[in-house]
Amino acid sequence: MKDAARPWIGVVFHCLAVLAAIFALVFFMRMQEDQSFTDRYRKEGTVSRAQVIAMNTDQMVTQLRKGRTRKTDIQVLHVRFNPKSGFAFRDYEDGAEVPTAPPPSGDAVADSTYTDVIWVTKDVYAKTKVSDSFLVVDTPYSGDGPELIEDIRDFDPAIYYPRMALALLLAAGFAIVGWRGPWKRRG
């Protein structure tokens, strides 16, 4: 190996170590964001029964660099629920009587208060049909819309720990190889 290339190989491994550490930080920040979102729903959320009034699938198109696009399939449930339920999530227990939305009044503007959309996974979408009902949690003034109660209740940030650990192990491994690699000239 040429002597001029030796230091650059170390620099490449150090850059890979920094990149892996950045990924660990990104996973940590994503975990904090999801935890904050879930904690807000657990603390301020109200529970109501939602009824599916329509279903559809769509594609979300994201513009990438150089005119390329990425398409992501989304599954959407249109639901009718009571955003002003008053039944706090922290008071909810299985089997409790949960408020529902009032019957439609025929006034589209007034009824729009009680309708929203939920993005769900393919599994949930496949099991759901129009007129099904399930429990949702919503927060006042959130603008995020309702979330399935199972998603809020069962959220566990532990899914991020293996990702962070793997990224940190890679960072440490790349750093060690960069400092002690076989291309280093031994005295």
Side-chain angles (χ1 to χ4, degrees), residues 13-27 163-175:
F13 277 98
H14 286 251
C15 289
L16 289 172
V18 169
L19 185 63
I22 289 171
F23 271 104
L25 180 64
V26 167
F27 289 138
R163 298 172 190 172
M164 289 187 291
L166 180 62
L168 290 173
L169 282 173
L170 281 172
F174 285 137

Side-chain angles (χ1 to χ4, degrees), residues 1-185:
M1 181 179 302
K2 298 205 182 255
D3 288 338
R6 289 179 193 268
W8 292 107
I9 295 172
V11 169
V12 168
F13 277 98
H14 286 251
C15 289
L16 289 172
V18 169
L19 185 63
I22 289 171
F23 271 104
L25 180 64
V26 167
F27 289 138
F28 176 75
M29 291 171 55
R30 180 65 186 193
M31 178 187 72
Q32 292 295 315
E33 179 184 354
D34 288 351
Q35 184 68 49
S36 173
F37 177 83
T38 303
D39 286 347
R40 181 170 46 97
Y41 271 82
R42 288 177 179 171
K43 188 170 107 180
E44 303 170 8
T46 58
V47 180
S48 70
R49 183 160 300 282
Q51 183 175 15
V52 179
I53 55 176
M55 303 169 56
N56 66 307
T57 58
D58 204 349
Q59 283 191 332
M60 182 171 52
V61 179
T62 307
Q63 291 285 53
L64 303 174
R65 289 182 282 160
K66 298 182 181 178
R68 296 183 313 184
T69 60
R70 179 179 61 208
K71 295 180 181 179
T72 307
D73 292 332
I74 56 174
Q75 298 76 35
V76 181
L77 301 179
H78 299 264
V79 296
R80 184 169 171 78
F81 73 108
N82 188 350
K84 300 170 186 165
S85 147
F87 190 82
F89 176 80
R90 62 182 168 274
D91 298 333
Y92 173 75
E93 294 177 7
D94 286 336
E97 187 65 32
V98 177
T100 61
S105 66
D107 180 12
V109 174
D111 289 342
S112 69
T113 305
Y114 300 102
T115 59
D116 212 330
V117 296
I118 302 175
W119 291 12
V120 294
T121 63
K122 289 180 182 180
D123 294 337
V124 171
Y125 188 83
K127 295 176 191 174
T128 305
K129 63 184 183 314
V130 174
S131 80
D132 280 357
S133 71
F134 43 83
L135 298 177
V136 295
V137 181
D138 192 32
T139 59
Y141 316 115
S142 71
D144 292 324
E147 294 288 329
L148 298 175
I149 196 167
E150 295 85 13
D151 294 345
I152 300 301
R153 182 182 52 208
D154 300 339
F155 174 76
D156 184 11
I159 60 172
Y160 289 99
Y161 296 146
R163 298 172 190 172
M164 289 187 291
L166 180 62
L168 290 173
L169 282 173
L170 281 172
F174 285 137
I176 290 170
V177 169
W179 284 316
R180 311 263 320 162
W183 55 85
K184 293 275 186 170
R185 179 176 282 172

